[in-house]
Amino acid sequence: MQILRKGSFGPQVELLQLGLNRGGYLPASGIDGIFGNATQAALLRFQTASGLTADGIAGPRTWNALTPQLTGYVTHTVRPGDTLYRLASAYGSSIRAIDTANPGVDPLNLAIGSRLIIPLGFDVVPTNISFTSTVLDYVVRGLTARYPFLRTGRMGSSVLGKPLYWLSIGEGGREFFYNASHHANEWITTPLLMKYLENYSRAYSLDGSIGGQRADTLYRTAALYIAPLVNPDGVDLVTGEIAPGSTQYSRAQALAQNYPNISFPGGWKANINGVDLNLQYPAGWDEAREIKFAQGFTMPGPRDYVGTAPLSQPESRAVYNFTLDHDFKLTLSYHTQGNVIYWKYLDYEPENSYAIGRRFAELSGYSLELTPPGSAYAGYKDWFIQQYNRPGYTMEVGRGVAPLPLSQFGTIYRANEGVLTEGQILA
């Protein structure tokens, strides 16, 4: 984590402000990514209340003290007289949330000295700050602590060594796979999948519903896997986590100069090597290369460079191998923008794929269309359909120019909750 002080700016300042907001030290309107007077005053109050040196600088000890506000839980050592009711009241939690986070604990006989996970009284997944690989690290820690029935792991590492997380919920025999942020400036799709996972987990823990379906029924019949951040290095470049002046930023900036008409870093879709990860799959890769070269994308840069060969990049190769290791019945790949669903690859038309696509269009209000010829090859959806002859879809969410503003998040989520749910039922 960066050491932040007055005058700092960027996504880690947003993260600091989020923690201060959740702790009650800064209003939500103060989350703007700029470390000014209000943020400094809030930090001083937090440091004083936490027994830290009140210097107005966010260093390692301050970040450590803020961790519960970023992961959404604390670890409590049971003392004499503790009950779940008293702990829930003390931490602003609930008995049900504590019980869920601590399976096997006898609420009537808490063992003195044992350690309990205590969820705090707010959602873990933020939807009001830039999503980065650092934010995802905190969110994965928080969700898996709150909901120990979630499973997680790494399918590989990015070019810069960042984890490529997968998460899974459900114990049914039919597997499904959703992925997001193949393209760096389409990072709003990452909180979309993570917020869905959080809402589904909460619904299951409370015997509730998600997307119009009983969560417990969904959990028993399907096993959902998600890869929420396929391109962490590229996303960190676009959001500012990779800061101007750093070696990685300067290297990407040099690649961007090959295409001066594309804005930088906002127009960056590729991984940090300048390769478009959704043009890396072995489904018409040679055709994709011919098309993109004809369009002028002949070398690494912000977008549309196919690389030197299929699966030459660690991120696309990891998703490819993860898919081969499973038996997915249906996949959804989330991108932006246009409110469009693409459902077909060449002449492949998997059984029920059109009918399922029509249902997704009905649920979301999006149009169901064929992929435009200039983008019809080498994507994950294309390869999955070719490889398995099963339904695969590219979901192009939102309207405008990427990166889409977070003000669209609520609309995007509402349009897709039913799709994300019924995608585990229809295939």
Side-chain angles (χ1 to χ4, degrees):
M1 300 298 293
Q2 298 174 7
I3 296 176
L4 304 176
R5 52 176 51 85
K6 189 175 179 181
S8 298
F9 61 91
Q12 291 211 4
V13 175
E14 292 181 61
L15 189 60
L16 171 67
Q17 292 168 332
L18 176 73
L20 294 172
N21 168 252
R22 287 175 169 179
Y25 298 93
L26 186 73
S29 60
I31 302 176
D32 59 5
I34 302 170
F35 196 138
N37 291 332
T39 299
Q40 184 182 56
L43 180 56
L44 288 167
R45 291 193 296 272
F46 170 78
Q47 290 174 324
T48 299
S50 301
L52 302 172
T53 300
D55 57 6
I57 298 172
R61 293 186 66 197
T62 295
W63 280 114
N64 185 62
L66 273 172
T67 296
Q69 307 304 323
L70 303 177
T71 60
Y73 74 94
V74 298
T75 303
H76 175 88
T77 301
V78 176
R79 300 187 292 264
D82 280 346
T83 65
L84 293 192
Y85 176 80
R86 289 177 179 174
L87 292 174
S89 299
Y91 287 103
S93 186
S94 71
I95 293 174
R96 186 68 171 267
I98 299 172
D99 187 58
T100 297
N102 300 276
V105 168
D106 182 355
L108 301 179
N109 186 28
L110 298 180
I112 306 302
S114 64
R115 295 167 69 83
L116 297 178
I117 298 295
I118 312 294
L120 302 178
F122 50 81
D123 285 1
V124 175
V125 180
T127 60
N128 59 344
I129 65 170
S130 302
F131 227 86
T132 66
S133 62
T134 300
V135 174
L136 184 62
D137 288 342
Y138 281 118
V139 167
V140 170
R141 287 170 57 188
L143 289 185
T144 53
R146 284 190 176 203
Y147 304 110
F149 49 80
L150 292 177
R151 302 177 298 280
T152 188
R154 296 184 179 192
M155 61 176 65
S157 300
S158 70
V159 171
L160 297 180
K162 295 168 185 173
L164 303 177
Y165 288 111
W166 61 265
L167 298 100
S168 180
I169 183 172
E171 59 186 13
R174 295 171 60 78
E175 296 182 329
F176 301 86
F177 180 53
Y178 303 159
N179 60 78
S181 292
H182 267 83
H183 289 149
N185 61 359
E186 300 171 4
W187 59 262
I188 198 171
T189 58
T190 293
L192 171 64
L193 290 191
M194 294 306 292
K195 178 55 70 175
Y196 177 77
L197 183 65
E198 180 170 30
N199 289 346
Y200 178 3
S201 299
R202 181 190 297 110
Y204 176 68
S205 71
L206 296 175
D207 300 320
S209 297
I210 181 79
Q213 304 293 326
R214 289 285 306 173
D216 57 348
T217 301
L218 196 64
Y219 188 93
R220 290 195 306 270
T221 57
L224 173 63
Y225 291 80
I226 70 169
L229 187 53
V230 174
N231 186 3
D233 302 340
V235 166
D236 285 351
L237 176 67
V238 171
T239 58
E241 182 89 348
I242 295 177
S246 67
T247 300
Q248 294 87 359
Y249 187 95
S250 297
R251 181 174 180 272
Q253 191 172 36
L255 295 178
Q257 289 172 2
N258 294 327
Y259 304 91
N261 293 329
I262 299 174
S263 66
F264 180 82
W268 192 276
K269 296 173 65 176
N271 75 347
I272 203 66
N273 283 339
V275 177
D276 191 316
L277 296 178
N278 207 43
L279 291 170
Q280 272 276 287
Y281 294 93
W285 182 86
D286 289 328
E287 288 82 355
R289 182 180 185 275
E290 182 177 344
I291 291 169
K292 296 305 179 184
F293 270 47
Q295 294 172 349
F297 297 103
T298 59
M299 62 187 74
R303 54 177 292 171
D304 288 335
Y305 176 62
V306 301
T308 57
L311 305 176
S312 64
Q313 300 304 299
E315 299 92 347
S316 53
R317 192 163 58 247
V319 176
Y320 171 88
N321 288 329
F322 188 73
T323 304
L324 292 179
D325 288 340
H326 291 270
D327 185 29
F328 299 129
K329 305 301 182 186
L330 176 148
T331 66
L332 296 176
S333 300
Y334 271 87
H335 292 259
T336 69
Q337 59 277 0
N339 290 349
V340 176
I341 304 169
Y342 296 124
W343 69 283
K344 197 174 181 181
Y345 174 62
L346 298 181
D347 292 331
Y348 292 89
E349 190 169 338
E351 184 178 0
N352 293 327
S353 59
Y354 179 74
I356 293 171
R358 290 300 307 162
R359 177 57 178 162
F360 288 164
E362 177 185 337
L363 289 165
S364 63
Y366 296 173
S367 59
L368 183 66
E369 299 181 12
L370 299 177
T371 309
S375 303
Y377 300 97
Y380 176 81
K381 178 263 293 178
D382 308 323
W383 170 73
F384 179 79
I385 293 174
Q386 173 187 271
Q387 178 77 13
Y388 295 101
N389 197 29
R390 293 175 179 172
Y393 303 89
T394 296
M395 307 292 297
E396 298 278 1
V397 305
R399 297 241 186 230
V401 177
L404 297 180
L406 281 168
S407 59
Q408 291 195 28
F409 182 84
T411 300
I412 291 171
Y413 183 84
R414 288 188 294 273
N416 282 276
E417 186 181 77
V419 173
L420 291 162
T421 298
E422 294 203 17
Q424 303 166 68
I425 298 170
L426 295 172

